[in-house]
Amino acid sequence: MRRARSYPRRVTTPPYVPDETAYDRRRLRQWRTGRARADGVARRDLMKLLAAAGLATGLPSALAAPASAAGAGIVKPLPEEWFTVRGTNAEAKFASFADTGHHTPASRFFVRNHTSTPQLDPKTWELKVWGSGLEGAGRTFTLADLKRLPAVTRSAFVECAGNGRSFFTTQQGQEVSGTAWTLGAIGSARWRGARLADVLRRAGVRRDAVDVLPRGLDPDYVTADGTNLGRVRRPLPIAKALDDVILAYEMNGEPLGPDHGAPVRVVVPSWIGIASIKWVGDIEVSAEPLYSPWNTDFYRLFGAAYPPEGSASLARQTLKSALELPWNASLSAGAGHRITGRSWSGTGAVARVEISTDDGRTWRRARLHDTPRRADWVRWSASWRPTTPGPAAILARATDTSGRTQPTATQHNTQGYLFDAVVRHAVTVV
Ligand SMILES: Nc1nc2c(c(=O)[nH]1)N[C@H]1C(S)=C(S)[C@@H](COP(=O)(O)O)O[C@H]1N2
Ligand SMILES: [Mo]
């Protein structure tokens, strides 16, 4: 990664491309030698990361939501035509995006809550910035303070790292833990707010700061087995924090709604959704590397293909495509159908999208309906005139500007993160 002590004053282009693996290994070494802090992470959990062989079996089964009525902690209405409620979360029905524009209205944006939506008063809300990575004692910002800083607007998706998880099971026959999302744990919005970089500079960020830890004001997260992991929080390397991260107070031109982090949330473009902490109440800026359960037990890849301590902490999203069509939709034979969908990537803009209706033997280009941009999705369409009645599948695959194309299978990981394989979308030709 870029060395923290030589970061430029204002990072614009090229995009921050870290070497997450190297950074992660360095962090672990520092923790072992007492130079990194890990509040709220059980020592045994860190030992697990550090250990050599044999410890990969003690994996958390704790991604399950704590017992509560489905969707109970979500404030906005969750009509059935738009959402599938999964525990404390609500998945958007991707098919229903066919009648939305480029951006996902807040009323239709998926919700991923570890616990429940807190209703905070924007008039009394404060953001405390503190820690050993600052020159002085730190600083507190009100919402009015943030609004006095230069505002930036940016279109970006927020997508859960587990989006598409259920296809590990239904398409690859593999067991995974966690919310069984199909492909609707994503939305794209126009976010407006202050740059985190401006806030950190005003708080006196030092050149030796290495990690930034935003923490939510929602209730403590207690796992299914009763372990209290504290408030939702996840460290972000200082280089990313100073690059393109926003402290957003508006979504699609409206004040942020309660379920999406009101009054202020972090938006970390291109990164997995957990980085975009909602209801942020404080940000620790640290001169030592930090850990939380969300970059140790969770959001690493564990499994046969990975080292016992797991992969590096996950950062950028992967590449995916989804059809705006119900699962098992009926399409009449002999008629022309306009198939629509969206594709996105965390490692570059989408370069092209292809579809196949013969199980991947031949592919043809879909037409793109947006200018592809980094950290955002593109809408596309293709036509298909099926001839033979019976079960069939439509496959869509994207390639991004980094040169990656969606594979036919994703390497298994126990928590089902970053599913990027081509989804065989079942339809029935009638
Ligand atoms: N404070 C807090 N921030 C959070 C979460 C949470 O439960 N609490 N969930 C995270 C996860 S896992 C995701 S995928 C995104 C979801 O954002 P959304 O609910 O606005 O769609 O928020 C992230 N930020
Ligand atoms: Mo997530």
Side-chain angles (χ1 to χ4, degrees), residues 2-51:
R2 192 146 52 204
R3 290 160 64 130
R5 63 180 174 76
S6 63
Y7 59 77
R9 223 154 250 299
R10 184 166 290 248
V11 184
T12 47
T13 49
Y16 165 59
V17 180
D19 178 348
E20 282 107 16
T21 308
Y23 177 69
D24 200 62
R25 296 279 169 251
R26 196 166 74 230
R27 237 190 334 201
L28 276 170
R29 275 200 307 276
Q30 286 171 318
W31 178 80
R32 192 173 46 199
T33 54
R35 286 180 290 135
R37 284 205 3 256
D39 296 346
V41 185
R43 190 183 160 75
R44 72 182 143 78
D45 293 337
L46 275 155
M47 292 315 291
K48 216 156 59 191
L49 291 176
L50 285 161

Side-chain angles (χ1 to χ4, degrees), residues 206-261:
R206 293 160 52 106
R207 285 181 167 252
D208 61 356
V210 294
D211 274 340
V212 162
L213 180 69
R215 185 159 51 165
L217 291 166
D218 40 338
D220 285 4
Y221 177 55
V222 179
T223 63
D225 64 9
T227 312
N228 186 335
L229 299 181
R231 299 205 173 211
V232 178
R233 62 201 187 283
R234 187 180 203 253
L236 193 63
I238 189 76
K240 179 67 175 176
L242 291 173
D243 183 7
D244 57 358
V245 177
I246 301 174
L247 289 168
Y249 43 74
E250 274 182 23
M251 180 181 185
N252 298 330
E254 304 281 340
L256 213 55
D259 297 308
H260 300 291

Side-chain angles (χ1 to χ4, degrees), residues 80-135:
E80 225 185 286
E81 68 266 40
W82 293 346
F83 292 103
T84 305
V85 174
R86 302 191 189 281
T88 54
N89 316 295
E91 175 172 356
K93 288 188 169 158
F94 213 99
S96 77
F97 288 164
D99 63 17
T100 63
H102 180 90
H103 291 120
T104 314
S107 58
R108 303 178 59 163
F109 209 95
F110 86 104
V111 181
R112 188 337 186 194
N113 278 355
H114 282 73
T115 59
S116 58
T117 295
Q119 303 218 48
L120 307 173
D121 181 354
K123 290 196 228 37
T124 55
W125 174 86
E126 286 181 341
L127 173 67
K128 293 177 194 62
V129 184
W130 59 282
S132 63
L134 300 180
E135 291 297 350

